[in-house]
Amino acid sequence: MTDIDTTPATASDGTALTRFNAVRHGILSRYTVLPWEDADQYRTLLSALVAEHVPEGPTEEHLVEELAGILWRKRRLRMAEGAAYRHGLAKSLGRRSETTSAALTHLNNEGQSEGVAEAVRATPADTEAELADLQDDERMTHRALKLLRSRRNDAYEAGLAELRDDTREWWEDQLGRDTDELDEEEEPARPDAESLARFLDDEVLPWFANRRQKIANRSLIREQAFGEALDPFKLERLGRYEVHLDRKLERILTMLVRLRDLRRESVGE
């Protein structure tokens, strides 16, 4: 790893600060920064601490570098916490039905289970766009129904033309079904206004309501998935390690203050 640079920093009073030997020779930094971490970010942190504490002598220099190491490890700890959540979230995505059922257990959610991955990954903009598209599709369907129930001679053709492409494809699939695919009391689809209107009333309009409810359930499923992602035992271990770092940070800061006070007293004598 490249040694920390030795460019002079500037103290608040405008005087130049010289990098201390321990950092210049990379005695601690080469072990603090892991190979996949950003050495430049560590240099920036260390330089800021040097400028703040203006260490004099090898003891103070060592303590300042220890401070940098502690703060760097606390940064790493935050990354570990995020990684733990992501790992738990991945498990929640794998437990799709369980997570969704738990999120919607207080609702009559039959047939309304939005997928966990879709709920977690959908942005507010995605949801807004989907609802707008759903509204447009539903509006076209109502216009088609109005045409189908009119007294026009071409009511079927006009109503069919008003539908969106995917709805027409759905209807064409219904027309192509074999009679042995139908339920016992289900009437076969026919290419006429009455049959198409019944299909829109019985199948398409309820689909809109169901889809709108699925989208509305996203927030509940997201909350459930993120809640399941929390691993209290892993976070407890991370929390104990952070307490250890905080205590070490406090001790080092106390030592730095004492050394600075002793130096001032000796100068005063």
Side-chain angles (χ1 to χ4, degrees), residues 238-254:
L238 293 175
R240 289 200 299 267
Y241 180 50
E242 185 169 23
V243 169
H244 163 73
L245 291 176
D246 287 338
R247 289 173 178 171
K248 188 175 181 181
L249 179 68
E250 183 179 357
R251 289 197 301 270
I252 291 176
L253 285 172
T254 300

Side-chain angles (χ1 to χ4, degrees), residues 12 92 158 222:
S12 58
S92 292
R222 280 171 58 87

